[in-house]
Amino acid sequence: MNLNDKITTLKGVGPKYASYFAQNGIFTVSDLLYHLPRAYQNRGDVCRIIDTPFDFLPHSYILTIGSEPKVALIKRGMSLLKFKAFDDSGSVNITYFNQNYLKDVFTIGSTFRFYGKLSREKRTISMTSPTYEPVIPSKPLLPLVPVYPLFNGVNQKFISKLMSEITPNINDMVNEYLPEDVLDRMNLCSLPFALKNIHTPPDENTLNAAIRRLSFDELFLFALSVSQIKSSASEYYAPSMEDTDVTDYINMLPYELTDAQSRAIGEILMDLSGSGEDYVKAMNRIVVGDVGSGKTVCAAFAAYAVCKNGYQCALMVPTEILANQHYVSLKDDFAKLGYSCELLTGSTPAKEKKAILSRIKNGDTDFIIGTHALIQDSVEFLNLGLVITDEQHRFGVRQRARLAEKSKNVHVLVMSATPIPRTLSLMIYGDLDVSLIDTMPPGRQRVDTFVVDESYRARLNGFIKKQVDEGHQVYIVCPAVEEKEEDILNFADYNPFVIEYESKKNDTSKVKSAVSYAKELKEEVFPTLNVEFIHGKMKGKEKDKIMSDFSDGKIDILVSTTVIEVGVNVPNATLMIVENAERFGLSQLHQLRGRVGRGKDKSYCVLVSSSSGEKSIQRLEIMRTVYDGYTIADHDLKMRGPGDFFSSDPSIRQSGDMGLDLAKSCSDTELLTSAFECARMVLSKDKHLGSRENALLKERLGEVISKNIKTVN
Ligand code: ADP
Ligand code: MG
């Protein structure tokens, strides 16, 4: 067996399975080997039936089959298989559904390790569909059983089976690629050892060593790829913008710029202008400011300066809603200033898109606003001078790289509203010049924040009614779009390093879904109010319609998923309610809270959570008491690891596009910092990783990068 073998060489993987795997970026034995467990079940601690605690958690039992399995048909196409099994303390009734073939597996007298939840009602002790493994003296059972991330078409058993085919070959297939000095300095275990033990850990300590090693690898490879993107970005020159007189625009604004805004705009204009030369070193600047600090107008000034000098400007944002809002708020200003502005998103109709593309190409369009549709190959500019990305952290690293590719020899301006902890910002934005917008426009008030549980529901509804009666609008954010997503992970309590996280007994609260909750509110709670919902799965047009209706005050209550998280601006909205708040990251909650308090009226944020998990309570308490985005970000990093900051959109996160599957929840900031230091150390000796010692490292880096491209596309 070889790492590069196609997975179809494994037993049982035909074309159909291969296509399921391919959809998830798994093509080779190596890809599968790096499909790492997301958790482990502790089946090593065997429990006696009589000693089972009343904790409603699954436990492990070694039981002998005591009665012949009986099959009963319950309704058409449904059958039950029932039998008794016992240990030295008692016996339990075990039931499986629709698995008649198990009749031949559970023969009387044979012994299995079962793992499941025991239920005790009156006198009967029972278990339904526990997982089972035969106890065979010659083949000891694993104490910690990996739980793999699943995807369409593939179950745990199948992945485990494939892993058991692969893992015995690890020592022969896998070569160490980390340089010796890095291994020494970090005191890491070897790669074959780590890979073997992450899939088949003999005990917790060994598992932790394996996790530490592989987390380091992810961070280290990430650091290397970021450094490479950066070093290529800093070599560019771009046209200089000689005319930086922006007084026309200043005079048009309905408000005065804050000092921080003026400073940022000044810095941008300095970057853009040369002193007589045609080309200057390309601007590579990030404007960082908390939500609502007024970054958009800084971007608009940059765009204006560029248009004024006869070049085009592209503004790229992560969502259609935001693209639309920027477009609506900027196009009139630009028209008055004498420049044409257009919108291009994924849902622009083909015909219109064609026309827009040709206007971009022949230079009729000066300022183009859009989603990542803008970086597609079909978009050709006549003379692009500046690319601005808003809410940059929401884009995946690949999209950013592609954008960088598109924007060679143009100026680059990045806007970010997610306060990034200082340790991380150096890593992510290390080579960018930073303009910090550290003051809010005048008149902003603090958004008072409350954490409540279900018992406050009636009062909360009364409060909603009151806000609406006073002429204001309300956001309600739910963690799921539709009912069936109920079992999505509780991110707050999810941590792959917790050996057993399943069936958290604290997490009994029902997950609110945007669609059904909106219906309930509309029909039962607020029949006289206008309640609408919006979520990321809706068509662009529908979303735009809802968003502009909300913006125009036609909707009183907007129930949504986090699509409204970024950038959207409706000053009349004064109440933000977040349902199942424990499921969101702190920075995400801070962003959501930033949607209100944008006008002159007093605004509120209510975080609804019935979770009694200690971590959740602690996190929500931070939201209640801390209002500064940076402090919140530091807490978030400590509690949830860096994953959220590299890419805070769950759909991006799950695509694994950062290759940070393990490390994203690694709260060991020292490992994080060291990974970047080691990357710097290695690159300082061998900038392009061209040396013979680094050949394997370079190969692995290439693999990781190309895998991420496949996953994102
Ligand atoms: P963000 O930094 O979150 O992107 P925006 O640029 O969307 O914030 O600005 C938020 C709101 O503040 C907008 O309605 C904008 O018009 C307003 N605004 C921006 N700058 C000022 C200012 N200097 N004075 C008053 N209002 C401002
Ligand atoms: Mg913004």
Side-chain angles (χ1 to χ4, degrees), residues 14-73:
K16 194 163 146 208
Y17 276 117
S19 80
Y20 292 140
F21 279 112
Q23 281 162 23
N24 291 276
I26 297 171
F27 302 91
T28 63
V29 167
S30 167
D31 296 337
L32 196 55
L33 191 55
Y34 279 97
H35 187 67
L36 303 179
R38 62 173 171 83
Y40 296 84
Q41 291 174 342
N42 186 353
R43 298 192 199 166
D45 286 342
V46 175
C47 187
R48 289 165 79 224
I49 293 173
I50 200 167
D51 297 333
T52 306
F54 284 88
D55 59 3
F56 308 103
L57 293 174
H59 293 281
S60 183
Y61 302 88
I62 305 266
L63 305 175
T64 303
I65 312 301
S67 75
E68 198 184 314
K70 290 249 155 38
V71 176
L73 292 173

Side-chain angles (χ1 to χ4, degrees), residues 36 287 320 359 430 462 473 531 586:
L36 303 179
V287 176
E320 294 198 1
R359 287 198 293 273
Q473 290 162 280
V531 184
L586 292 185

Side-chain angles (χ1 to χ4, degrees), residues 226-278:
V226 169
S227 310
Q228 291 198 333
I229 291 175
K230 271 181 194 166
S231 66
S232 60
S234 56
E235 289 161 8
Y236 297 122
Y237 282 78
S240 82
M241 308 293 159
E242 290 306 317
D243 181 358
T244 54
D245 179 0
V246 291
T247 14
D248 287 357
Y249 200 174
I250 293 180
N251 292 338
M252 249 171 61
L253 290 176
Y255 48 75
E256 291 220 355
L257 292 171
T258 63
D259 290 347
Q261 285 170 322
S262 302
R263 196 173 348 118
I265 292 167
E267 286 163 348
I268 291 167
L269 295 177
M270 285 276 267
D271 287 350
L272 292 175
S273 59
S275 38
E277 313 93 9
D278 289 345

